[in-house]
Amino acid sequence: MIRCIYSPSTDIYFHLAAEEYLLKQGNEDVFMLWQDTPSVVIGKHQRLQAEVDREWVDRKRIHIARRFSGGGAVYHDLGNVNLTFIEKASRFPDFTVYLQRTLDFLVAMGIMAKGDDRLGIYLNGLKISGSAQCVHKNRVLYHCTLLYDTDLTALNKALNPKSLFNEEGNKERISSTYAVPSVRSEVTNIRRHVSRGSVDDFKEEAFRYFSRSQVVSSFSEEERRIVNRLRKEKYMRDEWILKIP
């Protein structure tokens, strides 16, 4: 059985801490559905200045976070729905399994999306989902975004780093050997392509789909205490967010 969590929080730092806790300290299979207030999330091996327009993001009071999985930079807001799968796995996990689960859900809703070899999801050639993965011992984590009704103007402004350009408008070389750049794609919202209603309707349908015949759960008081401590001691700290790969 899979433990299914419908998170009531909208705090990016809580959710990143919760994912790490569930992956590293748990031993059960987990599905979690969650959302955040406006946030930019960069991958573990990325350099912030190469991914984010820091000045614009700070001015708009958008949170900046670094996750512990790899992959590229993403933008979250309450028009975006996030899915997390954490499970026991073989030594060489097949992450396309989780891509296919997400595609099956979309198809069940009448959304004829397609995946690619980077585990992204596209609708009419435009990206609606990106994913990232990590492995811890015999457990894997796969999480993805689903752009349903996200502010795409904010997304494009936040993920458009001015620091890549010098005064002449030419690209500058990023002086970090190990930083992993995002692969940028043109995006769209699912809402533009379906006749359904709000993001809340979409979120409810998603949770019903993935939690059917499973165990619906919430965080215990002890789990919230542990997660909030990790949130404060790691994910909210500049030492983690601003570290240079």
Side-chain angles (χ1 to χ4, degrees), residues 151-162:
D151 183 341
L152 298 184
T153 298
L155 180 155
N156 286 309
K157 285 184 176 294
L159 302 181
N160 183 27
K162 292 180 180 178

Side-chain angles (χ1 to χ4, degrees), residues 11-216:
D11 183 292
I12 181 59
Y13 307 110
F14 178 88
H15 288 132
L16 295 177
E19 287 185 319
E20 181 172 344
Y21 164 76
L22 291 167
L23 175 69
K24 295 183 177 180
Q25 298 189 40
N27 56 15
E28 56 195 344
D29 293 345
V30 177
F31 167 76
M32 183 169 71
L33 183 147
W34 47 288
Q35 289 180 291
D36 296 312
T37 52
S39 310
V40 170
V41 189
I42 62 174
K44 180 178 181 178
H45 306 293
Q46 293 196 296
R47 187 171 182 177
L48 180 62
Q49 76 175 75
E51 302 298 332
V52 178
D53 184 339
R54 182 71 183 275
E55 180 182 347
W56 188 87
V57 164
D58 287 346
R59 189 165 66 248
K60 295 296 183 179
R61 298 185 178 181
I62 294 170
H63 299 296
I64 297 175
R66 181 186 296 274
R67 61 182 181 268
F68 65 95
S69 61
V74 294
Y75 176 81
H76 292 186
D77 64 15
L78 294 178
N80 176 73
V81 177
N82 304 291
L83 311 179
T84 299
F85 302 90
I86 299 172
E87 295 182 355
K88 299 180 185 70
S90 64
R91 185 178 176 185
F92 302 104
D94 180 5
F95 289 113
T96 63
V97 168
Y98 305 103
L99 171 67
Q100 190 59 53
R101 288 185 195 175
T102 309
L103 288 171
D104 289 345
F105 157 65
L106 293 171
V107 169
M109 289 187 63
I111 301 168
M112 308 310 291
K114 297 180 179 180
D116 69 358
D117 57 3
R118 298 182 62 86
L119 305 180
I121 299 177
Y122 295 80
L123 191 54
N124 296 336
L126 301 175
K127 194 168 188 177
I128 58 170
S129 174
S131 68
Q133 312 82 37
C134 68
V135 177
H136 176 73
K137 297 181 179 178
N138 67 332
R139 289 168 63 76
V140 299
L141 178 145
Y142 176 99
H143 47 191
C144 69
T145 62
L146 285 172
L147 298 175
Y148 186 79
D149 197 14
T150 294
D151 183 341
L152 298 184
T153 298
L155 180 155
N156 286 309
K157 285 184 176 294
L159 302 181
N160 183 27
K162 292 180 180 178
S163 59
L164 284 177
F165 298 89
N166 59 27
E167 291 181 358
E168 288 74 36
N170 298 316
K171 273 198 171 183
E172 295 179 329
R173 184 176 180 272
I174 299 301
S175 59
S176 176
T177 304
Y178 301 104
V180 177
S182 295
V183 177
R184 303 185 187 278
S185 303
E186 190 174 355
V187 298
T188 189
N189 276 315
I190 295 170
R191 181 69 184 87
R192 293 184 57 191
H193 303 268
V194 298
S195 59
R196 283 176 168 79
S198 70
V199 65
D200 288 335
D201 297 330
F202 179 77
K203 185 170 58 171
E204 294 288 343
E205 290 192 61
F207 192 75
R208 279 196 299 270
Y209 178 89
F210 287 107
S211 67
R212 65 190 189 277
S213 303
Q214 304 298 334
V215 177
V216 176

